[in-house]
Each structure stands twice: as structure tokens, then as C-alpha cells.
Amino acid sequence: MAGKRKTNPAGSSNDLRGDVLRVLGVLKVATADQIQRIGAPHLSYRHTDKPTPSERKAARTASHTGALSDMRKHGVTENGGTARTGEALRNLTTKGLEAAAYELRRPLTDMGSTARGAGSSGATHPMTVNETVIAMLRPKPDLARLIEEPAEARAAAQAAVDAPAGIGTLRSYWTEVPLPAIGTWKAPGKGGAQADIVLTAPQDHVPLLFIEADNCHETAEELADKLEKYARFFRKKAKDSEGHELPMWRTRWTGGEATYGDVPHPPVLLVFNPIGERNPDRTVPRLAELTRHLWAGERQRGGHHHYEGKIPVVTVTLPNLSQHGPAGAVFHRFGRDHMQPLVEAIGNPRREAADAREREEDRVQREDYQKQRRRAAEQKEAEREARRPVCAACGAKFTDERWKAAEAHPNATPRWHPTLCQPCAQQAVTADQQAERERQEQAQVPVQKADSWRSRFRPG
């Protein structure tokens, strides 16, 4: 134990340090509280006996704070300033970024920067980005680690477990991702956008989502300009490893495939944190008006819209997202007059319903066609059966082979009886042959007798 204490004076474990690396690898800069809420959410339901919220926070984040202290001594993390709330900010060093890439199983080239200096002005925007990720992720506590806690704490943890799940895992999220309108991934040119968050969670029906966090400081015009940059990025073409030209974003991510000719761009979610001077209730309508050409679809006869080459733009406030999560009906998509859960808002439920109706109609038509074919075949077969010959001797129906032979050779011979079935024809042939032998025998008997009578008068 003494050796471990010397190496890690705060007594941190590999699991705790892994939490720090994974969370900071994704978020770039975060507080110990945010690291704990993502990496070990069960700790949020411990130390409930502490008298004040600050004491409870200090107790539940103590383990990760100790891990951060140990990792700072090893040159993996560093202090990144102070948040507006007074909490210490932490970020990775270059060495820590390499370790986080290993923990997250990501190429180092996808890890971004160390975010050094992000907390020099309070890091209000990074904190909003972090809270957006936590609200989308909705980490679930491990109830097995709360068995000895008071009943009220276990009940609160159970409620969190039973609540609608979030989307994806921590590895589903990237932050501060350049989206080059010109240039390449490694060397993006000027005029491109930078996504605050990129989410890829196809297992939760969100194959690709770009998220922008706004503290309500930007005007509708500034936000519209950002969406224009997204549009330029989505239109940018590149060649894949086989030399095929396709949208640049598809060389890195996958997204919705074409359905009935409808190929929209990936959706963009705007998360408004109302701490600034601008009211999102006024900003959003103006933004929708300015960007109509980017998101408005074409109405189809089925009452749905096609969004070929359009950007699904969805908005939500951070308080609503934090309270209700992605499954809550708190998301507004431009062009729609009602709130929806996120998956429905970024999708096209009316088109899906229209597609389902069309598929059902196609299925019914195919079944009707098959029924008509079966009825026609049955009628044809019945008519054919009505024409099938029967044996003139026993009345049995001809087999197909016998029928075909009888039609090919309709004239009877001593050895061929086209009006008889095979067994009766064989009997008839056998009977004819027997009768022929008997006639021949009868024709030979008188000759022999005559020869015998004359022989008595021949001279000796």
C-alpha cells in the first residue's frame, strides 16, 4: 500500500483514472463534478447525510478529484482555470490526450486539441457543451453499488434508472469537430464550421447528429451564418478510398440512406441555454425565417414532405433537455407546429407512415394478384379436368401421360387402344393376342384330321 500511495498519493484507482481520461478525452475540459456524473453516476446518490449541497458535492467528487491530482503529478492532466461557478476546470495534456485516445479506442488524429486555456474566461460555452452531453447521455447509476445507502437514496437512484434512457454511450460523442467547407479534414480552410458536438448512435436511431450549444449571446443572423457554413460543408464533395465521389461527411460518418428519392442532409440540433441577453423565443422564429431555404421540404401528395438536400434543423432549451431528456416531447423542428421527441424530430414520421401505407398497398396488390393467378390457374385446371378422357371399359380417368399418348395416336390398332386406360388397354391387347392364338390353333386342326383319313387308302 505504501508504494501505491507514493505513486498515487491521492490513492486513485485505475477505474477512476480511466473515468477521467474518457470524459476529458471527449469533453476536452470539465469539472470534477461533470467527470463524476458521467463516469460514476452512482456517487450522486451517496453522502446524502451531508448537511449542505456543497459538502455533498465535495464528498461525491472526492474520488475523482484525487484521481485528477494524481494524474496531474504524472503530467497527464492539468488545471485549466476556473468556471463561472468557481469550480476548478481540468483538461488533458498532450500525454493525457494520447492516453485518452487509447481509452476511447480512437485514432489520435480524431482527438482534437488539449483545450489548454479554455477556462481563462470562465469556460461558459464549454460548460454548456458538457451539460448538453450529460443531458443527452443521461448516465444511469449502478444500483448494485448503492445497496448500503439509505432507502431514499436508493429510491431516487431507482427512479433515475427507470426514467427514459439517453442516447448512445460516451464513445458516441465528439466535441469541437472541424467541418471544412474547403480544404481537408487534416487541413481545413477558412469559412468552415466547427461542430460543438457530433453524436453517432445508430443503435438508438440517431446515426448522425450535429449539435450546436448557444448561451443566447448570438443573434439570429449569426446563427443563420453558422447554418450556412453547415450547408456548405454538407455540399462539399470528396473521393473515398475507391475513388468514388460522394459528400465529404460520408467519408467519415454514415447517415440516413435514400428512401423513395429523399436524401436529406444530416440534422443539426440547436441547444439554447438561456443565460445570455437574447430570448430564444424571439431568436428561433427569426432564425427559421432566415434559413427557410436550407430546411424547408417539398410537400407530397401523401401529406408528408421530402427533404432532398435539406437540413433538418431542430431546437431545444437546455433546461428542457436536462429535465426530459431526448425522449421528451420538447424538441421543435423548423417547419412543424408541435413538439416531438428527438428521434421523431430529426426523422420524418409522416413520410415513414406514407411509406408504410405504400408498402402495405403494394403488399395487398401483390396478394390480390397472386389470388387472381391462383383462381385463374384453378379454373384452367378445372376446365382441363373436365376434358380429361375416361376409360371406355372401367370409367377411370386417364393419366396425363395416357391422355397425351391418346391424343397423339387417336386411331386404334390390335395393339393400341386409345379409348382405354393403360391397365384396360394391356388386358385388351393380351385378350386379342390370346384370341389370335386360338384362331390359329383352330385353323390347323381340320387339316391334320384330313391328312390322317387319306393315309389309310395309300398303297403300301
Side-chain angles (χ1 to χ4, degrees), residues 22-23 26-27 38 104 106 133 137 168-173:
R22 286 186 292 272
V23 174
V26 172
L27 301 185
I38 294 175
L104 292 167
R106 291 180 181 175
V133 171
L137 195 57
T169 66
L170 184 59
R171 290 188 177 92
S172 303
Y173 293 81

Side-chain angles (χ1 to χ4, degrees), residues 50-78:
K50 301 295 182 183
T52 65
S54 62
E55 289 178 307
R56 288 194 291 271
K57 177 184 285 189
R60 64 181 170 81
T61 60
S63 298
H64 289 93
T65 300
L68 285 162
S69 178
D70 288 336
M71 295 171 75
R72 182 168 178 261
K73 289 179 173 61
H74 290 294
V76 177
T77 66
E78 61 185 5

Side-chain angles (χ1 to χ4, degrees), residues 41-50 56 141-161:
H42 67 281
L43 293 176
S44 297
Y45 302 90
R46 288 184 179 174
H47 309 291
T48 55
D49 57 341
K50 301 295 182 183
R56 288 194 291 271
D142 183 356
L143 297 178
R145 306 183 73 169
L146 298 170
I147 295 176
E148 297 181 359
E149 298 303 314
E152 311 85 62
R154 295 199 307 272
Q158 184 66 60
V161 170

Side-chain angles (χ1 to χ4, degrees), residues 147-340:
I147 295 176
E148 297 181 359
E149 298 303 314
E152 311 85 62
R154 295 199 307 272
Q158 184 66 60
V161 170
D162 294 339
I167 292 179
T169 66
L170 184 59
R171 290 188 177 92
S172 303
Y173 293 81
W174 284 258
T175 59
E176 299 180 5
V177 181
L179 308 176
I182 58 175
T184 64
W185 292 113
K186 292 183 179 180
K190 295 181 179 180
Q194 177 171 284
D196 289 334
I197 304 167
V198 177
L199 167 60
T200 58
Q203 72 276 16
D204 293 323
H205 311 291
V206 184
L208 180 61
L209 176 66
F210 295 89
I211 305 176
E212 288 295 319
D214 177 57
N215 284 328
C216 295
H217 295 307
E218 295 182 279
T219 65
E221 287 74 15
E222 290 171 326
L223 293 172
D225 182 65
K226 188 174 293 187
L227 290 177
E228 291 285 359
K229 291 178 180 179
Y230 268 96
R232 288 197 294 272
F233 166 69
F234 290 147
R235 290 193 295 265
K236 181 176 173 58
K237 301 291 184 180
K239 290 185 178 181
D240 62 11
S241 59
E242 298 179 353
H244 300 143
E245 189 175 70
L246 69 168
M248 185 177 185
W249 64 267
R250 284 191 180 274
T251 65
R252 186 169 182 178
W253 301 292
T254 58
E257 299 300 327
T259 305
Y260 292 91
D262 184 17
V263 192
H265 291 313
V268 177
L269 172 65
L270 302 175
V271 179
F272 291 96
N273 186 18
I275 62 175
E277 67 278 8
R278 301 191 181 279
N279 185 346
D281 290 338
R282 290 195 292 269
T283 301
V284 169
R286 174 61 177 161
L287 177 61
E289 180 183 349
L290 291 171
T291 58
R292 175 174 291 275
H293 61 288
L294 298 178
W295 56 261
E298 295 183 3
R299 188 175 180 83
Q300 306 298 305
R301 287 187 301 176
H304 61 286
H305 289 76
H306 273 185
Y307 297 97
E308 177 78 22
K310 301 297 183 179
I311 304 174
V313 180
V314 182
T315 66
V316 70
T317 64
L318 183 56
N320 277 337
L321 176 59
S322 299
Q323 180 180 356
H324 301 284
V330 293
F331 297 85
H332 171 240
R333 176 165 170 174
F334 285 0
R336 297 180 183 173
D337 58 2
H338 58 288
M339 297 293 190
Q340 297 174 290

